[in-house]
Amino acid sequence: MEVVSLSKSYRVAILGATGAVGTELLELLQSRKFPLAELKLLASPRSADRIMPFGNENLPVVAVGEHSFDNVDIVLASAGGSTSKEWAPKAVEAGAVVIDNSSAFRMDTHVPLVIPEVNPDAAASHRGIIANPNCTTILMAVAVWPLHRVQPVKRMVVATYQSASGAGARAMEEVKQQALAILQGETPKTEIFPYPLAFNLFTHNTKLNELGYCEEEMKMVNETRKIFGAPNLRITATCVRVPVLRAHSEAINLEFEEAFSVEKALQILSKAPGIRIVEDWQANYFPMPCEASGKDEVLVGRIRQDISNPGGLELWLSGDQIRKGAALNAVQIAELLVAKSWVQSATAAVTA
Ligand code: A2P
């Protein structure tokens, strides 16, 4: 007897469709052939009536409103924390699963924080919202998890080199305009960033806590612990914004209980999902943000023994903040939900 495949398709809404991540979400749904029954593009009233191309179609952008989530199965939200706080619960109430790119729900104990290469099973217990981790956390976790699961990391020290894209499409434009202004001998204007970023850098400008750590640094600490299921993992971070348009880089120092050889680390990372090793020691060629931009994989290289610590390893990575650091991870979560039939929340399934 012939087996007929009853493959399902899903009604998807993108909240924040006009932004840097939203635009990439559209491209990924198209290029990865996500099983779409319908695609709704939502943004602020500023973008109402805008038209965005999707394959051969032109889709209207609609201002998010009370009935935006009626008859929607999956919401991919990337419109900032306050927008998510306002609309995600309403979308869940309307019956959708929200994959949220903001920090609004990440540390909520009932909200799984998911990187499909690291903790896919966490998504099973969702109650309507699944959080996409912070971009620097995703890139670091994809590179460190394959080592950590073989031999637990005792302590991590990370320094980030974060591109303008992390602050959105308008921030990327601001850096370009600043560069043009400086080259013409003019004073660069600042609107999104507090200081000029072109030809400059500054430590991440999120709010500082009483210990002197900014929010971005604490996200790396707390989110990595939650994702790895390692609440006591020792992590410290220094986050820096650099004048790169797209793709973040990170210098990571890992300390293990016992020595972890470079050869073993390289062997593990070469086979790990979502990673491409980029190393040519003769040519002094290692991951660069210009080569990570637009790529799905996190580029990892310069894996070397820490000369100050026999149980330590150093590594360097570059990864596209908009793709794996945000949009790609969210689409991968949506694909995971579809593959595992987890689109309906566990709570809804139980109470249905
Ligand atoms: P809009 O273009 O209408 O302002 P980015 O991260 O690149 O800055 O993009 C942010 C995205 O979030 C944009 O699509 C933006 O829409 C959307 N957005 C921002 N504020 C709101 C809001 N209050 N309601 C709905 N969408 C919003």
Side-chain angles (χ1 to χ4, degrees):
M1 197 179 79
E2 199 185 333
V3 179
V4 181
S5 161
L6 295 173
S7 58
K8 236 183 122 178
S9 50
Y10 297 83
R11 299 162 297 181
V12 174
I14 300 178
L15 175 57
T18 51
V21 173
T23 312
E24 203 70 20
L25 284 167
L26 253 94
E27 194 283 314
L28 285 161
L29 291 174
Q30 164 85 14
S31 62
R32 293 170 73 92
K33 300 188 171 51
F34 190 85
L36 285 173
E38 199 185 316
L39 181 59
K40 256 188 195 180
L41 305 186
L42 305 169
S44 81
R46 288 180 293 271
S47 305
D49 300 331
R50 247 187 82 177
I51 299 287
M52 294 182 77
F54 182 73
N56 297 326
E57 294 175 63
N58 285 314
L59 301 180
V61 179
V62 177
V64 63
E66 288 303 324
H67 298 290
S68 294
F69 306 104
D70 294 350
N71 304 314
V72 169
D73 301 306
I74 299 172
V75 178
L76 300 166
S78 191
S82 55
T83 309
S84 284
K85 273 195 183 134
E86 181 179 357
W87 293 106
K90 291 178 181 160
V92 174
E93 210 172 299
V97 177
V98 179
I99 300 167
D100 184 38
N101 197 46
S102 81
S103 59
F105 305 102
R106 286 182 191 145
M107 296 314 294
D108 186 324
T109 44
H110 299 304
V111 174
L113 185 60
V114 176
I115 303 174
E117 290 88 342
V118 177
N119 61 338
D121 294 341
S125 62
H126 77 81
R127 297 180 178 189
I129 300 177
I130 297 175
N132 212 32
N134 167 262
C135 49
T136 45
T137 306
I138 294 179
L139 303 177
M140 177 170 75
V142 165
V144 174
W145 175 252
L147 305 175
H148 176 77
R149 66 194 300 227
V150 170
Q151 200 171 303
V153 171
K154 203 165 106 184
R155 180 167 179 251
M156 289 163 69
V157 182
V158 59
T160 69
Y161 303 70
Q162 297 182 222
S163 60
S165 59
R170 287 171 60 216
M172 294 167 80
E173 190 52 35
E174 180 165 297
V175 178
K176 286 189 205 164
Q177 293 306 323
Q178 287 176 350
L180 280 173
I182 292 171
L183 291 172
Q184 286 164 4
E186 295 163 11
T187 307
K189 292 200 179 84
T190 54
E191 199 183 318
I192 308 288
F193 289 124
Y195 313 107
L197 186 56
F199 304 107
N200 188 29
L201 56 81
F202 44 83
T203 54
H204 207 278
N205 57 293
T206 40
K207 201 166 155 230
L208 296 164
N209 69 11
E210 66 290 353
L211 298 172
Y213 281 72
C214 70
E215 280 172 355
E216 186 83 351
E217 290 159 355
M218 291 316 297
K219 283 177 191 173
M220 295 192 82
V221 173
N222 295 325
E223 292 182 21
T224 306
R225 286 174 170 171
K226 178 169 174 176
I227 296 160
F228 282 14
N232 299 318
L233 185 59
R234 291 160 65 200
I235 310 173
T236 181
T238 301
C239 292
V240 178
R241 189 76 76 186
V242 296
V244 169
L245 274 185
R246 181 174 171 148
H248 293 349
S249 301
E250 301 180 22
I252 304 172
N253 181 279
L254 300 172
E255 188 178 333
F256 299 89
E257 291 289 349
E258 288 167 34
F260 204 128
S261 78
V262 170
E263 294 69 29
K264 187 172 155 192
L266 197 53
Q267 198 185 37
I268 291 167
L269 291 176
S270 308
K271 293 190 205 131
I275 290 176
R276 181 149 57 87
I277 300 294
V278 174
E279 283 196 332
D280 182 341
W281 291 88
Q282 299 261 301
N284 212 331
Y285 168 72
F286 300 107
M288 288 183 275
C290 66
E291 294 193 346
S293 288
K295 304 276 172 22
D296 286 350
E297 305 93 356
V298 178
L299 310 184
V300 180
R302 241 181 139 217
I303 304 159
R304 63 200 193 280
Q305 214 79 56
D306 174 353
I307 54 166
S308 73
N309 180 357
L313 278 183
E314 292 275 2
L315 56 88
W316 171 256
L317 64 80
S318 294
D320 190 314
Q321 176 275 325
I322 303 177
R323 272 180 104 85
K324 184 58 193 168
L328 174 62
N329 199 71
V331 172
Q332 285 176 311
I333 294 173
E335 290 169 347
L336 175 71
L337 296 181
V338 165
K340 301 275 191 179
S341 302
W342 291 340
V343 174
Q344 194 184 24
S345 77
T347 316
V350 169
T351 54

